[in-house]
Amino acid sequence: MSNETNIATDVIQVSHLKVSFLDNHVLKDFTIQLKQGENLIILGASGSGKSVLIKCIIGLMVADSGSIKVFGDEVTELTPEELNKMRAKVGFLFQSNALYDSMTIRENLRFPLIRHWVKNVRETAEELVMEALTNVGLEDTADKFPSELSGGMQKRIALARTLILKPQVILYDEPTAGLDPITGKEICQLMLELQKKYHTSSIIITHDLNCVKIMASRIVMLIDGICYATGTFEELKQLKDKRVTDFFD
Amino acid sequence: MKPISQSTFLLEIGDLYLFSLRFFKEVFKPRYEFAELIKQCFYIGYKTVPLVAITGFIMGLVITIQSHPSMEAFGAESWLPSVVSVSLVREIVPVITALICAGKIGSSIGAEIGSMSVSEQINAMEVSGANPFKYLVVTRVIASMLMVPLLVVISDTIGLYGAFLGVNMKQVISFHLFTNQVFLKLTFQDIIPSIIKSFFFGFAIGIIGCFKGYNTKNGTRGVGSTANSAVVASIFAVFVIDLMAAQIADILHLN
C-alpha cells in the first residue's frame, strides 16, 4: 500500500509515542494506525497505559514525545478552537460513563450539542436527543437523573451522548467494565450496530474477551509500553508467546 | 488525614496562586456562562439566606444581651444600639457570615467539583467542547463573590433587628428611636469597608473550594478530605483577609 493511500485511509496515526510519569515509563515507543471503518482493540494489563493512549489522542493528556495525527492533523499543534473542532468528530466513551449528576438525561445529551454549537441547535436539539435515546432504546428516560438509572442504562446513555454529534471516530475506554456478562454483551452488540449505522471507526480498550470477539477487526497488544503484537483474534490466540496467550486463556 | 509538610503547604499556596491567576485570565474571555452563573447564585445565595438570617438574628440578640450589663454599669445604656450596631456591621456579621459560607458553600463546591473530577465528568466536559474551568470555576467564584456580600447585608439587617429586640428585653425603646441611635454612629465608613472585605471573603471561599475540588485525587475518599480541607483553608483565609482588611482600614483612617 502506498503512503498516499495510507494517509487517505488512516483516520488516526500514532507514531513513536512516549509518555512517562516520573520514573514510570508507561508508553515507550508506541505506534498504531486506525483505518477508516476499523474496530481496533487495544489489549494490555492494568496500568499498561491504554487509557493514557486514548486520552493523548483526544488531547486530554500531553505526551512527552511522538506524534498523534487525527484526520491528518497533529493533535499537539492544534489551537484550543481546532482541538474542539477535532473533538466534535471524535467521540469518547468514559469508563465511568462520566454522566453529569446534576443534569437530567436530556440536559446531559444537549450539553455537547450546545457546546459544539451544532447548526440550528435550538430547533433541532430535542429531535437529536430523542434520536440518540431511541438508538439506545431508552426514550422514556429523558427527564430522569443518571442516579435513577442502572449501570447498564447509564452506559447506554453515555453511548448516546458520545454518538449525538455523529462522530467519525469513537474511543471507548473499557465500555463493559463493571457490567454483568449479559449486559456487557448487549452493550457490545449495540456498539457494533451503531457503528454500522453511522459508519464510525473505533479504538476500544477492553479486557472483556466477549467484547473483543464481537467488535475486533484487529487487536493490538500493548505490553511494556510498545505495540508488542498485532493481528486478528484468531491470529493472536494461536501465537506461542505466553505473554500474549495469557490474555486469551 | 496525613499531616501536611511545610514544602507541601508552600507548593499548594503556589498552585492556588496559579489557579487564581488562571481565574482572572478566564473571567473576561468569552464564552460567558450566564445560565450557570445564575444557577450558582441561586444555590450559593438564595439557599444560604435562611442560615445566615437566623445566625445574624441570634448574633444581634446575643451581643446586645451580653453588652447590656457593662453598658448599664457605665450608665451608657442609651449608647447600646450604636455600639452594638457598629460592632455587628463592621466585624461580627461579615466574619460570622463568611465562616458560615465557608462551611456551607466551600464544602459543597469542593465536594461537587471533587466528585466530578474523580468520576471524569470534568474530562467529559472538555471532550464535549466546554471549558470546564469557565463552566465550573469561574461561575462559582463569581457567584460566591456576588452572593457573600449580599448575604452579609441581609444578615446585617436582620442582626440589627435582633439587637432591637435585645435592647427591648431590658428597656422600652421605639424602632424609630433605635434606628436614630444606630445611625448616629453607624456611617458609610463602617458599611462600605465591611462590604468590600466580604467580596474578598467570597472570592477566597469560592476559589479555595474550586481549587481543592479541581485537584481531588484518590477517588471518593479524596472527595471527603477535599470537602474537609476546603472548609479549613477557607476559614483560615477569612481570618487572614479580616486581619489585612483591619490593617488597611487603619492605614486609610477608616476605623
Side-chain angles (χ1 to χ4, degrees), chain A residues 29-204:
Chain A
D29 186 18
F30 191 77
T31 300
I32 53 161
Q33 293 84 34
L34 175 72
K35 301 199 182 301
Q36 180 72 50
E38 187 181 35
N39 285 331
L40 178 67
I41 303 274
I42 312 257
L43 272 180
S46 298
S48 60
K50 306 182 296 294
S51 298
V52 170
L53 169 70
I54 56 171
K55 281 181 180 165
C56 287
I57 293 173
I58 199 78
L60 286 174
M61 289 178 81
V62 182
D64 299 337
S65 64
S67 157
I68 301 169
K69 285 186 178 172
V70 179
F71 305 114
D73 297 323
E74 183 63 49
V75 172
T76 49
E77 290 169 6
L78 296 177
T79 62
E81 290 74 25
E82 288 167 339
L83 193 61
N84 267 346
K85 278 184 189 163
M86 182 274 276
R87 283 170 175 165
K89 292 190 272 183
V90 181
F92 195 111
L93 183 74
F94 288 87
Q95 185 178 351
S96 58
N97 303 327
L99 295 172
Y100 311 124
D101 301 323
S102 57
M103 298 183 198
T104 62
I105 300 303
R106 176 179 278 109
E107 288 165 340
N108 262 282
L109 296 185
R110 282 175 68 103
F111 193 87
L113 291 174
I114 291 166
R115 301 294 137 176
H116 282 297
W117 208 250
V118 175
K119 204 177 172 188
N120 302 325
V121 66
R122 300 243 179 258
E123 296 79 41
T124 56
E126 187 58 24
E127 199 182 307
L128 290 167
V129 166
M130 290 322 290
E131 184 192 333
L133 287 174
T134 309
N135 276 334
V136 296
L138 291 171
E139 304 90 322
D140 53 348
T141 58
D143 295 315
K144 291 187 174 172
F145 283 91
S147 58
E148 295 175 73
L149 306 179
S150 69
M153 288 162 99
Q154 286 185 20
K155 190 64 82 180
R156 283 167 181 262
I157 297 295
L159 187 56
R161 190 179 64 182
T162 306
L163 284 162
I164 201 159
L165 290 166
K166 309 228 168 30
Q168 295 167 39
V169 178
I170 304 178
L171 309 174
Y172 294 97
D173 191 359
E174 308 219 17
T176 57
L179 300 176
D180 64 85
I182 298 165
T183 313
K185 198 173 172 187
E186 281 173 11
I187 293 290
C188 287
Q189 278 164 345
L190 182 63
M191 283 158 55
L192 196 63
E193 197 180 296
L194 293 170
Q195 193 235 347
K196 283 177 185 162
K197 186 173 176 182
Y198 294 112
H199 310 290
T200 57
S201 318
S202 336
I203 294 180
I204 304 156

Side-chain angles (χ1 to χ4, degrees), chain A residues 235-247:
Chain A
E235 284 168 356
L236 291 179
K237 207 176 168 186
Q238 283 162 14
L239 284 180
K240 298 282 183 233
D241 192 329
K242 194 173 178 306
R243 297 184 80 182
V244 174
T245 51
D246 275 354
F247 280 92

